[in-house]
Amino acid sequence: MTAVKRIPKDQIAIEGLTGDAAIAHALKQCDLDVLAAYPITPQTIIVEDYQKFAANGEVHCRVIPVESEHSAMSACIGASAVGARVATASASAGLALMWEILYCAASMRMPIIFTVANRALSGPINIHNDWSDTYGARDSGFIQIYTQSCQEAYDTTIMAFKIAEDHKVLLPIMVCIDGFILSHNVERVEMLPTKAVENFLGVREPFIKLDPDNPITMGPLALTDYYFEFKEQQERAMEAVPEVFAQVETDFEKMTGRRYGMFEEYRTDDAEIIIFTHSTPGGTAKATVDVLREKGEKVGVLRLRMFRPFPTKEIVEVVKNAKAVIVFEKCRSFGAPSNPLALELRTALYDLEKRPMVVDFVIGLGGRDCPPTTIVEGYEKTKEYLKKGKAPLYETMGVRK
Amino acid sequence: MSEKYNEIPMAGNIIEPGNATKYKTGGWRAQRPIHTDETCLWVKNGTCGLCWIYCPDNSVKLIEKDGKYIYEFDLEYCKGCGICANQCPTDSIRMENE
């Protein structure tokens, strides 16, 4: 790889792309060797578009139209094991069918890029957006990055390869977009010249690979005597992510001027109440905060991008002086004291002597709309809870009850 | 087995081919095969060899030496599964408790 340079404006292609198409274009430019996937709404366009590129000879990639998602991830692992650059895409039930192999991909340290269009899980069967699918996979050992715009999805997909393939990391990454809300909405996307992406990523240099001339075994048995040590290795790899992530973002910024961080802070400096969410509700929250600020409310948004590894210390730094943090999350962890995103935040804040109040709202399950009024309602409720000095561990919002 | 997490290959990869021979599985054995030369077709005329074909651990040793056919078990690896005794067409192998 040569030094990264700022790409001049006249070399940047601007197109209106859906989130899925933006990811497909990113994958096209990332010089994949293998893409193995099974179609599922709302991810389908990613693979559909990519198959078109392959059929037109625009990419030099073996596309494997497998018979299930379980096979998709298995094929990805096989290809990644011989040193290929590999990607797949799925959502909801498809991701659920991959379950067993997700853990194999992460523990075998395969830098596979897995783009997910977040969709509710059955049943009843539902094709619309919530985060139950990838939240369920939060302990699989994948890095998880949630994106808010088509541009961010495009950029993050490209950066993901560089992060995953770094020898300090070697972990698979889920790049998540909200199903339909982002996957099927057209936005303005600035695309880099393919040469620049190729130069940025370089060719994957496998740390170790399957090679007939130098035979090794991957994915063998490890029992009571060694298994725990391999899990320790995985944890250390996760710990290395923030540093590599920052380096990759720095390089990407030199090339594009864009940088996203592990999370985005929006008007949080003097905020008394901070809204904590991610993906598309992050955008809604920012627009709502603008209106609330005009009315003199001291409110900001912390839009998370990286859920795994969770940037614990950094988030504590941002929110520790706030009076309250409002969590909006599209997942219910049935029977749990609260829900995945709030559980992380509460754990992060627990050791502080003076903690902000954490208010957790479960919103938008199964794609139920979350307009700005949802954010305002949560904000008003939180102000009441602050007055009372007490909030429930969580509550659902937007459900008829 | 005292290595720390950073002293072993990544992800459990086995980077030295054939190192399973270092693991002497004979210790797993609860029953050991006992062979009778008198009825064994290999010892008689160098034929059959079903036990050798079926042994999952390459623990049956069919040896040709000075025109003679010699029969041995490698008890360092024999797990005592009894497949050889089951396969033997002349009942020349029986299993005995260790």
Side-chain angles (χ1 to χ4, degrees), chain A residues 1 17 21 61 110 128 131 198 398:
Chain A
M1 199 194 84
L17 293 175
C61 173
M110 299 300 175
H128 291 286
W131 306 330
E198 282 175 1

Side-chain angles (χ1 to χ4, degrees), chain A residues 206-318:
Chain A
F207 177 75
I208 192 165
K209 63 180 178 190
L210 289 182
D211 173 6
D213 295 329
N214 184 25
I216 61 160
T217 301
M218 284 185 177
L221 178 85
L223 301 176
T224 50
D225 47 1
Y226 282 109
Y227 182 88
F228 212 160
E229 278 67 34
F230 295 125
K231 295 296 115 178
E232 182 68 21
Q233 289 180 348
Q234 253 180 278
E235 183 52 32
R236 301 288 171 138
M238 266 293 180
E239 284 168 13
V241 172
E243 191 198 327
V244 174
F245 179 84
Q247 266 169 10
V248 172
E249 279 219 315
T250 302
D251 278 353
F252 192 82
E253 189 181 14
K254 277 183 206 157
M255 187 164 66
T256 62
R258 293 188 293 275
R259 185 188 190 95
Y260 300 95
M262 294 189 282
F263 49 79
E264 177 192 355
E265 289 173 62
Y266 187 76
R267 307 183 84 162
T268 51
D269 279 350
D270 62 335
E272 289 175 358
I273 295 178
I274 293 175
I275 295 167
F276 185 48
T277 187
H278 61 69
S279 301
T280 54
T284 312
K286 283 185 279 178
T288 313
V289 157
D290 285 343
V291 177
L292 290 171
R293 280 273 178 182
E294 274 170 30
K295 292 180 178 168
E297 304 287 339
K298 286 191 167 175
V299 55
V301 178
L302 199 162
R303 178 176 69 88
L304 187 68
R305 294 212 331 122
M306 193 190 280
F307 185 71
R308 281 289 180 272
F310 194 77
T312 311
K313 271 187 219 156
E314 294 82 352
I315 284 175
V316 169
E317 272 313 302
V318 177

Side-chain angles (χ1 to χ4, degrees), chain A residues 159-234:
Chain A
M159 282 189 273
F161 287 96
K162 207 168 164 70
I163 299 161
E165 290 170 7
D166 191 293
H167 288 190
K168 289 193 212 96
V169 176
L170 291 173
L171 290 170
I173 303 184
M174 288 182 194
V175 178
C176 306
I177 58 175
D178 276 350
F180 287 110
I181 303 169
L182 200 64
S183 70
H184 285 61
N185 263 339
V186 175
E187 287 182 352
R188 177 186 186 277
V189 178
E190 290 185 13
M191 288 190 295
L192 293 161
T194 300
K195 269 264 168 272
V197 177
E198 282 175 1
N199 184 41
F200 176 71
L201 290 181
V203 175
R204 181 188 161 197
E205 288 170 23
F207 177 75
I208 192 165
K209 63 180 178 190
L210 289 182
D211 173 6
D213 295 329
N214 184 25
I216 61 160
T217 301
M218 284 185 177
L221 178 85
L223 301 176
T224 50
D225 47 1
Y226 282 109
Y227 182 88
F228 212 160
E229 278 67 34
F230 295 125
K231 295 296 115 178
E232 182 68 21
Q233 289 180 348
Q234 253 180 278

Side-chain angles (χ1 to χ4, degrees), chain A residues 34-57:
Chain A
V34 172
L35 180 134
Y38 190 86
I40 186 167
T41 303
Q43 160 282 131
T44 317
I45 312 163
I46 299 176
V47 178
E48 225 169 59
D49 279 4
Y50 195 85
Q51 295 244 33
K52 264 184 226 160
F53 301 143
N56 293 341

Side-chain angles (χ1 to χ4, degrees), chain A residues 135 138 307 329 331-333 338-345:
Chain A
Y135 269 6
R138 68 189 186 272
F307 185 71
E329 55 184 318
C331 179
R332 170 71 187 122
S333 179
S338 78
N339 301 285
L341 192 56
L343 285 170
E344 304 286 332
L345 181 67

